[in-house]
Amino acid sequence: MSERWKVVIIGGGFGGLSAAQHLNSDLVDVTLIDRRNYHLFQPLLYQVATGSLSPGEIASPLRGILGQQKNTRVWLGTVVDVDTDAKQVFLADGTVVPYDSLIVAAGSQTSYFGRNEWQEWAPGMKSIEEATIIRHKILYAFEVAERISDPEQRRAWLTFVIVGAGPTGVELSGAIAEIARQTLKNDFRSIKPEEAQIILLDGAPRVLMSFPEDLSKKASRSLAQLGVQLKCGAMVKQVGEDGLTIESDSRTDSIAAKTVVWAGGITASPLGKILASRTHTETDKGGRVKVNPDLTIPSQPDIYVIGDLASAMDRKGKPLPGLAQVAMQGGAYAAKAILRRAKGQSEPPPFHYFDKGSLAVIGRAAAVADVFGAHLSGFVAWLVWAFIHLMYLVSFQSRVLVFIQWAIQNLTFSRGARLITGAAPTDFNFSKGISEIKPEPVNAPH
Amino acid sequence: MSERWKVVIIGGGFGGLSAAQHLNSDLVDVTLIDRRNYHLFQPLLYQVATGSLSPGEIASPLRGILGQQKNTRVWLGTVVDVDTDAKQVFLADGTVVPYDSLIVAAGSQTSYFGRNEWQEWAPGMKSIEEATIIRHKILYAFEVAERISDPEQRRAWLTFVIVGAGPTGVELSGAIAEIARQTLKNDFRSIKPEEAQIILLDGAPRVLMSFPEDLSKKASRSLAQLGVQLKCGAMVKQVGEDGLTIESDSRTDSIAAKTVVWAGGITASPLGKILASRTHTETDKGGRVKVNPDLTIPSQPDIYVIGDLASAMDRKGKPLPGLAQVAMQGGAYAAKAILRRAKGQSEPPPFHYFDKGSLAVIGRAAAVADVFGAHLSGFVAWLVWAFIHLMYLVSFQSRVLVFIQWAIQNLTFSRGARLITGAAPTDFNFSKGISEIKPEPVNAPH
């Protein structure tokens, strides 16, 4: 086994997992390293944040997925550095892992554009822990509003602001609107959940900037129907315990809101910069490593960078977007290239991203889809969305469960995972009309 | 609405929820207060701890369960005191809630018999947070063992000790044995998961002391078949980072184990002592409030104490056990007594607990059951167990899901919720052969 070509994959997301699965061959030994023991189906993370799904339904242990693949081992660990001369990867615990080929698929993280202190008040949407914190905050806000008497305070607790009107922000705000209007309809006595304000902010002039303009308009209309207030062209200036300050049309406004979610931007994993400096390569302004047309690093034919960490171009010289599809196709490409090399075959043609389209779901049964150039919206688009997502979950046990849970929800509007877990909430002082609850820090274990 | 009889229920567990559901009447206004927003189906908590079920599948929001019951409101809050003269309940945030009738169903918590410092190394099995920590510890131990080279250290990581051989301890150790022997069979490369040692300890001379002796023997045999080592008559003397010290037959032994779970004992909620002191009532040695045959506190005909917090006797003067059944029947009894009172009817006859029997499940398809005096074991007992548990979940959406998940597991031995969530594990130093991982503190949010 030790004589075989050694492939190390950093990251078990869409890119890394796809690469590992395409390396199922006796020619290579594969080691997949991730800080987590599971693969996360990020496109459904907003459903965890809004209590529709449990974490276990959108995440699956990497060992389980790759258990039958005998040439592959999974290691729990954090990669901190790479020695490209000695061809070694270093883990935080001091372990040294040698490679013949390296696939770096370390992904991206939430970016606060230099204002990391906002994270405390506006958690991002990249991990199960963050999604659980957001779920806690949303459900807890309704609980507080139910018991508070001061109308101004109550309004602040019933105001939900989502920063960033990309697919995640659109999906999240639609889901919160549905919780407020439908799911909790009968559950409260003092408040009317439909009084809740859901505000979706973006600096861009329209929602879903990466979509064609007609679909973006349709999405806006669907959001408005659900009761989401759109504020495009608005820049966030400050975020704090009691809400946020925004600037639009050179006017500054304050929004009193106890729940703010940051779906505003991402930046590459710090490993990108480390790798770039070790290999004298450039990164783009998002911290992504500029790669060759075959996804290798210039002058490093044995190192592939794929997915959100790579700054790759399509044939027209346009940068490839940070989508699961791009990462998966990149992983498959890198795997095949490595297998060719292990077989002594020639280099493959450059990587070509096959764009199947984009999708964003808005609420319970509507979506917009740009599929192979066709622009779909409404229920038809939702069906396409549901079909594609369920198909991806094909390798997980959870598929059946997710489907049934969706079906039940669509019939009943109920949400099964509406739990406020974590430390018992700090009790707040209703008699003073002000709250002493502190949201849990984003780094807290969840 | 304000002229109606005001009933306050403290606690949304089996007792409190049952009381609330039996108080669905226009004659009364009900306020149910709990620190959590959900009802937890505790008998299945061990399945969360072992990755079979997600928290959302065994917990259901109280608001959802009681949403259609218009006379009932749910409050998130912590009760800290009761003024029995003014008939008021005080919450930690300063809120004062008046009552005409009070039902106290605050339940119990894990007891370390005065050694609370052990909690850090041996989490209990009472909450979702604890179950998640235990799941983390179990799965993480296999991950570390996969990468560690020192055989002694590896053995300590692969040793799992469960303290307490009541139903929870028996169920948990059976489930861990199955994980080691079946679920993870194909998932590791360096270790053989079946090398894992699972040790079940108890100070009592046999497992399942509350069961008839023949069933206890059958349970021991089933556990042995699963590979669980039983150590009865063993007292825990010390618990620490690297394992525990036990004493049996006046011999002291050390067990090197990185994973210890405490299923060793419970004590009543501290509210019991507060209530007893306010009403000059006695508590038993478990901190439970001694109640009248009608479950009221002596000299307080408007205060009912039910479930794990109550020290009640059956007709033969034997104390009633801390079981879900006792709590539920107590809740129903208190509710009916209050409704009689609201209608001006006479006092009801004393509370009589109708014992339907006891059940404990051992592994995937075996159980022991003492049902209406019939002693069942093996698969038949498991069917009874599954049927009763599913029936209870009838009011939750989760029933269908739980059932399907069980069915899939029984077919495939796989476990869908095998996620190590929480803060990314501290990296440990394999090069030194020792670990620097600290288990998360039990109070940490999860």
Side-chain angles (χ1 to χ4, degrees):
Chain A
M1 193 160 166
S2 57
E3 290 310 299
R4 294 194 291 192
W5 195 259
K6 288 189 287 295
V7 184
V8 171
I9 302 171
I10 303 173
F14 287 107
L17 183 58
S18 162
Q21 288 175 323
H22 283 89
L23 284 165
N24 190 2
S25 155
D26 284 345
L27 296 170
V28 290
D29 279 337
V30 179
T31 303
L32 188 150
I33 305 169
D34 199 300
R35 283 179 304 170
R36 300 294 188 169
N37 78 327
Y38 51 84
H39 171 67
L40 176 63
F41 191 64
Q42 273 194 357
L44 290 179
L45 201 55
Y46 80 95
Q47 297 214 355
V48 172
T50 52
S52 288
L53 295 176
S54 288
E57 284 149 7
I58 62 157
S60 198
L62 288 163
R63 276 191 198 292
I65 304 173
L66 298 168
Q68 302 295 331
Q69 198 170 310
K70 292 297 172 203
N71 72 328
T72 304
R73 62 167 73 222
V74 174
W75 273 18
L76 197 64
T78 306
V79 173
V80 290
D81 207 346
V82 178
D83 180 339
T84 54
D85 294 328
K87 295 198 158 195
Q88 290 173 333
V89 165
F90 297 95
L91 306 193
D93 58 43
T95 309
V96 178
V97 189
Y99 66 82
D100 295 315
S101 289
L102 178 65
I103 300 177
V104 188
S108 56
Q109 56 193 41
T110 304
S111 166
Y112 290 87
F113 306 115
R115 303 295 296 268
N116 287 336
E117 68 275 18
W118 293 353
Q119 188 180 31
E120 187 178 355
W121 309 111
M125 275 285 289
K126 290 290 284 180
S127 69
I128 284 184
E129 286 74 12
E130 286 176 315
T132 313
I133 289 170
I134 293 168
R135 182 178 72 186
H136 187 131
K137 284 180 71 105
I138 293 170
L139 297 173
Y140 198 44
F142 284 103
E143 295 292 338
V144 176
E146 169 80 348
R147 292 191 43 201
I148 216 162
S149 49
D150 179 80
E152 213 166 294
Q153 281 283 326
R154 183 188 283 189
R155 197 175 166 80
W157 281 103
L158 287 177
T159 300
F160 302 86
V161 179
I162 294 93
V163 181
T168 300
V170 165
E171 287 164 351
L172 191 63
S173 53
I176 297 175
E178 281 192 347
I179 292 179
R181 313 285 181 245
Q182 296 291 346
T183 315
L184 301 179
K185 196 162 56 176
N186 293 312
D187 287 5
F188 290 89
R189 301 293 173 258
S190 305
I191 56 166
K192 299 204 191 323
E194 61 270 28
E195 290 168 15
Q197 290 194 84
I198 297 100
I199 301 170
L200 179 60
L201 290 181
D202 205 303
R206 59 182 175 92
V207 305
L208 299 177
M209 272 299 278
S210 61
F211 281 66
E213 211 167 328
D214 60 323
L215 290 180
S216 167
K217 264 189 198 146
K218 287 206 168 119
S220 297
R221 220 172 299 144
S222 297
L223 286 167
Q225 274 165 11
L226 287 172
V228 175
Q229 299 172 39
L230 273 179
K231 284 193 203 295
C232 289
M235 306 299 291
V236 175
K237 292 288 161 194
Q238 192 55 257
V239 183
E241 185 176 358
D242 296 313
L244 69 183
T245 310
I246 56 168
E247 196 181 283
S248 59
D249 298 333
S250 359
R251 238 188 63 192
T252 304
D253 278 310
S254 286
I255 304 175
K258 287 291 186 181
T259 313
V260 181
V261 180
W262 192 265
I266 57 166
T267 187
S269 154
L271 196 60
K273 290 237 161 91
I274 294 167
L275 196 61
S277 103
R278 294 281 177 267
T279 56
H280 312 289
T281 317
E282 284 176 58
T283 54
D284 69 6
K285 69 181 158 70
R288 304 187 301 169
V289 180
K290 294 193 176 173
V291 293
N292 294 326
D294 68 351
L295 303 184
T296 59
I297 297 184
S299 81
Q300 296 289 337
D302 291 316
I303 305 183
Y304 294 82
V305 183
I306 60 171
D308 281 8
L309 192 64
S311 172
M313 302 294 161
D314 67 11
R315 286 176 185 169
K316 295 175 192 156
K318 237 182 86 185
L320 292 178
L323 296 174
Q325 272 300 319
V326 175
M328 289 165 73
Q329 292 180 26
Y333 174 86
K336 284 176 197 159
I338 290 169
L339 288 179
R340 285 174 81 104
R341 182 163 179 148
K343 286 182 202 158
Q345 293 171 347
S346 63
E347 306 270 304
F351 173 61
H352 168 60
Y353 169 55
F354 177 57
D355 184 2
K356 299 179 190 164
S358 320
L359 282 159
V361 70
I362 306 144
R364 209 166 48 95
V368 291
D370 173 12
V371 191
F372 298 122
H375 295 186
L376 307 175
S377 62
F379 188 61
V380 175
W382 185 86
L383 283 179
V384 173
W385 175 83
F387 178 77
I388 290 175
H389 284 70
L390 287 176
M391 283 308 101
Y392 180 75
L393 292 172
V394 100
S395 51
F396 306 150
Q397 171 201 314
S398 29
R399 181 181 53 141
V400 178
L401 292 172
V402 171
F403 182 78
I404 289 168
Q405 202 142 350
W406 276 352
I408 292 173
Q409 274 175 34
N410 273 290
L411 291 171
T412 64
F413 281 105
S414 88
R415 279 160 197 269
R418 247 162 50 220
L419 312 182
I420 304 180
T421 52
T426 314
D427 278 280
F428 33 165
N429 201 323
F430 292 106
S431 45
K432 285 199 230 154
I434 53 146
S435 157
E436 290 162 13
I437 319 168
K438 297 255 183 293
E440 293 155 46
V442 172
N443 292 324
H446 246 267
Chain B
M1 192 159 166
S2 58
E3 289 310 301
R4 293 193 290 191
W5 194 260
K6 286 188 289 294
V7 185
V8 171
I9 302 171
I10 303 173
F14 287 107
L17 182 59
S18 162
Q21 287 174 323
H22 284 89
L23 284 165
N24 190 4
S25 154
D26 284 345
L27 295 169
V28 291
D29 279 337
V30 179
T31 303
L32 187 149
I33 305 168
D34 199 299
R35 284 179 302 170
R36 299 293 187 171
N37 79 326
Y38 51 85
H39 171 67
L40 175 64
F41 191 65
Q42 273 194 355
L44 290 181
L45 201 54
Y46 80 96
Q47 298 215 354
V48 172
T50 51
S52 289
L53 295 176
S54 288
E57 284 149 6
I58 62 158
S60 198
L62 288 163
R63 279 193 195 289
I65 303 173
L66 298 168
Q68 302 295 330
Q69 197 169 310
K70 292 296 171 203
N71 72 327
T72 304
R73 60 167 74 221
V74 174
W75 273 18
L76 197 64
T78 305
V79 174
V80 290
D81 208 346
V82 178
D83 181 338
T84 53
D85 294 329
K87 296 200 158 195
Q88 289 172 336
V89 165
F90 297 96
L91 306 194
D93 59 43
T95 308
V96 178
V97 190
Y99 66 83
D100 296 315
S101 289
L102 178 65
I103 300 177
V104 189
S108 57
Q109 56 193 41
T110 303
S111 165
Y112 289 86
F113 307 117
R115 302 296 296 268
N116 286 337
E117 68 274 19
W118 293 353
Q119 188 180 32
E120 188 179 354
W121 307 111
M125 276 284 291
K126 290 291 284 178
S127 68
I128 283 183
E129 286 74 12
E130 286 176 313
T132 313
I133 289 170
I134 293 167
R135 182 179 72 186
H136 187 130
K137 284 179 72 104
I138 294 171
L139 297 174
Y140 198 43
F142 284 103
E143 295 291 339
V144 177
E146 169 80 348
R147 292 190 43 200
I148 216 163
S149 50
D150 180 79
E152 213 167 293
Q153 281 283 325
R154 183 188 282 190
R155 197 175 165 81
W157 281 103
L158 287 176
T159 300
F160 302 86
V161 179
I162 294 93
V163 180
T168 299
V170 165
E171 287 164 352
L172 191 63
S173 53
I176 297 176
E178 282 192 346
I179 291 179
R181 313 283 183 247
Q182 296 291 346
T183 314
L184 301 180
K185 200 163 50 173
N186 293 312
D187 287 5
F188 290 88
R189 302 291 173 259
S190 305
I191 55 166
K192 297 203 189 327
E194 61 270 27
E195 289 168 15
Q197 290 194 84
I198 297 99
I199 301 170
L200 178 60
L201 290 180
D202 204 303
R206 57 182 175 93
V207 304
L208 299 175
M209 272 301 278
S210 62
F211 281 65
E213 213 168 326
D214 59 324
L215 289 181
S216 167
K217 265 189 200 146
K218 288 209 169 117
S220 298
R221 221 171 300 143
S222 297
L223 286 168
Q225 274 165 12
L226 287 173
V228 176
Q229 297 172 41
L230 273 179
K231 283 192 203 293
C232 289
M235 306 298 292
V236 175
K237 291 290 160 193
Q238 192 54 258
V239 183
E241 185 177 357
D242 296 313
L244 69 183
T245 310
I246 57 168
E247 194 181 284
S248 61
D249 298 332
S250 359
R251 239 190 62 194
T252 303
D253 279 311
S254 285
I255 303 175
K258 288 291 187 181
T259 312
V260 181
V261 180
W262 192 263
I266 56 166
T267 186
S269 154
L271 196 61
K273 290 236 161 93
I274 294 168
L275 195 62
S277 103
R278 294 280 177 267
T279 56
H280 311 290
T281 318
E282 283 175 60
T283 52
D284 69 7
K285 67 180 158 73
R288 304 187 302 167
V289 181
K290 293 192 175 174
V291 293
N292 293 325
D294 69 351
L295 303 185
T296 59
I297 296 184
S299 82
Q300 296 289 339
D302 291 318
I303 305 184
Y304 294 82
V305 183
I306 61 172
D308 281 8
L309 193 64
S311 172
M313 301 294 163
D314 67 12
R315 286 172 184 171
K316 295 174 192 159
K318 237 184 84 185
L320 292 177
L323 294 174
Q325 273 299 319
V326 176
M328 289 166 72
Q329 292 181 27
Y333 173 87
K336 283 176 197 156
I338 290 168
L339 288 179
R340 286 173 79 104
R341 181 161 179 151
K343 286 180 201 157
Q345 293 170 348
S346 63
E347 307 270 303
F351 173 60
H352 168 60
Y353 169 54
F354 178 57
D355 184 2
K356 298 178 190 164
S358 321
L359 280 160
V361 71
I362 307 145
R364 208 166 48 95
V368 291
D370 173 13
V371 192
F372 298 124
H375 295 186
L376 306 175
S377 62
F379 187 61
V380 175
W382 185 86
L383 282 179
V384 173
W385 175 82
F387 178 77
I388 290 175
H389 284 70
L390 287 176
M391 283 306 102
Y392 179 76
L393 292 172
V394 100
S395 51
F396 307 150
Q397 169 203 315
S398 29
R399 182 181 50 141
V400 179
L401 291 173
V402 172
F403 181 77
I404 289 168
Q405 203 142 350
W406 277 351
I408 292 174
Q409 273 173 35
N410 274 289
L411 291 172
T412 64
F413 281 104
S414 87
R415 281 160 195 268
R418 250 161 50 219
L419 311 183
I420 303 181
T421 52
T426 314
D427 279 278
F428 33 165
N429 201 324
F430 292 104
S431 44
K432 283 197 235 156
I434 53 146
S435 158
E436 290 162 12
I437 319 168
K438 296 254 184 294
E440 294 155 44
V442 171
N443 292 323
H446 247 267

